Amino acid sequence: MVGTARHLLCRCAAYVLVLTAGALWADDKLSALMTEGKFSKAVEYIDQSIPPPQRTVETWLIYAESLDKSNSDKQKVMNAFIEAQKIQPSDPRIYCAMGDFYARQKDYENAMKPYQKWYLLERSAKAAEAMASCAMRLKLFDKARDAAESAVKLDSNVLESRKILSVLYLSDKDWAGAAQQLEAIVTKIKDDVGYWKKLARCYEELNARDKVVIAASRIVYISKKQNTSLPRMD
């Protein structure tokens, strides 16, 4: 009986190894298809090689993305999200993907709810920034401001949220607040005359003469640089 038990254990162990190796191979093949942008092939591969009961949250999300990018029926994409939620309803990746799905269709109203859920689950700068971007497009300026400020607090390196805040602060004539955001923006987007002009305006309103001179000189430098890079029309 001991020999039989050992034999069964060995067979079970071998079976687990085969399943694990197969799963890893499947993941590698699926990753390769996604990397190559072969989304229709990815859908076909999942349909044929990964039965629904064996699909993880990640597999369902890949399936949803592949369906969306291969121009499949949108309801199929939503069904994939629903299946992912059944497995792990508190996985923030699901709500990030759902929000992105709606945002790609410019359906910002429906994108807001999953983005809010994403933020509640993860409290990340990316989630806050996604909310801010949607709110801004929906002209929900108070919500956009709150979300963008949260994003900046969570990660000072965010860019889109600072752009949103600069627009809102300028609209409110909060020159100091706008200047703070614009200063951060021009360290990342150094050769955009538009941002430098807005920053110069803030400095003028704040009566920061030395900073006005610096901003003005930068505007002149960028303008000359852009003019010399234009092709001659002789």
Side-chain angles (χ1 to χ4, degrees):
M1 289 185 66
V2 173
T4 302
R6 284 179 178 170
H7 179 67
L8 287 171
L9 284 171
C10 287
R11 286 185 64 183
C12 286
Y15 181 65
V16 169
L17 284 171
V18 168
L19 285 178
T20 303
L24 289 172
W25 179 83
D27 287 348
D28 287 345
K29 184 165 184 179
L30 188 54
S31 295
L33 289 171
M34 295 300 290
T35 301
E36 294 166 12
K38 297 178 179 177
F39 302 113
S40 295
K41 290 285 186 183
V43 170
E44 184 180 328
Y45 177 79
I46 293 171
D47 282 337
Q48 294 178 358
S49 303
I50 311 176
Q54 294 180 18
R55 295 176 192 173
T56 63
V57 168
E58 186 172 5
T59 306
W60 280 114
L61 293 181
I62 291 172
Y63 191 53
E65 182 183 354
S66 301
L67 286 166
D68 186 26
K69 291 184 177 178
S70 58
N71 298 315
S72 298
D73 179 56
K74 301 304 179 186
Q75 188 55 50
K76 289 183 179 179
V77 180
M78 290 307 303
N79 290 343
F81 289 135
I82 290 167
E83 292 300 325
Q85 285 177 295
K86 289 178 184 177
I87 298 170
Q88 181 50 269
S90 61
D91 191 323
R93 295 176 299 172
I94 299 169
Y95 304 98
C96 168
M98 286 179 70
D100 289 349
F101 166 68
Y102 284 120
R104 281 195 294 272
Q105 300 174 65
K106 302 187 187 307
D107 185 354
Y108 301 113
E109 190 170 353
N110 276 320
M112 273 296 284
K113 191 171 182 179
Y115 279 153
Q116 287 170 332
K117 179 77 171 177
W118 175 24
Y119 181 71
L120 287 173
L121 290 168
E122 193 172 82
R123 294 282 175 177
S124 68
K126 288 183 178 179
E129 189 160 82
M131 287 167 48
S133 182
C134 275
M136 196 68 177
R137 286 174 168 83
L138 293 168
K139 301 188 188 310
L140 302 173
F141 299 129
D142 288 342
K143 285 187 177 180
R145 181 186 290 103
D146 290 344
E149 286 175 347
S150 294
V152 171
K153 286 178 183 176
L154 288 163
D155 181 1
S156 61
N157 291 313
V158 294
L159 182 59
E160 187 62 28
S161 291
R162 289 192 182 278
K163 289 181 180 180
I164 288 169
L165 289 175
S166 71
V167 171
L168 294 174
Y169 291 162
L170 283 170
S171 178
D172 291 343
K173 297 186 178 181
D174 178 358
W175 307 114
Q180 184 180 14
Q181 302 308 317
L182 290 163
E183 285 168 349
I185 291 169
V186 297
T187 62
K188 294 180 180 291
I189 308 175
K190 298 181 179 180
D191 289 345
D192 190 308
V193 171
Y195 287 119
W196 278 103
K197 285 182 177 179
K198 290 175 184 177
L199 185 55
R201 169 76 189 283
C202 291
Y203 289 152
E204 286 175 355
E205 296 292 341
L206 293 168
N207 201 29
R209 296 181 183 279
D210 291 345
K211 290 183 177 181
V212 171
V213 172
I214 293 170
S217 64
R218 185 67 187 174
I219 291 166
V220 170
Y221 169 77
I222 296 169
S223 298
K224 285 183 178 178
K225 183 180 176 182
Q226 290 175 345
N227 288 334
T228 56
S229 66
L230 292 173
R232 290 173 63 92
M233 301 296 289
D234 294 338

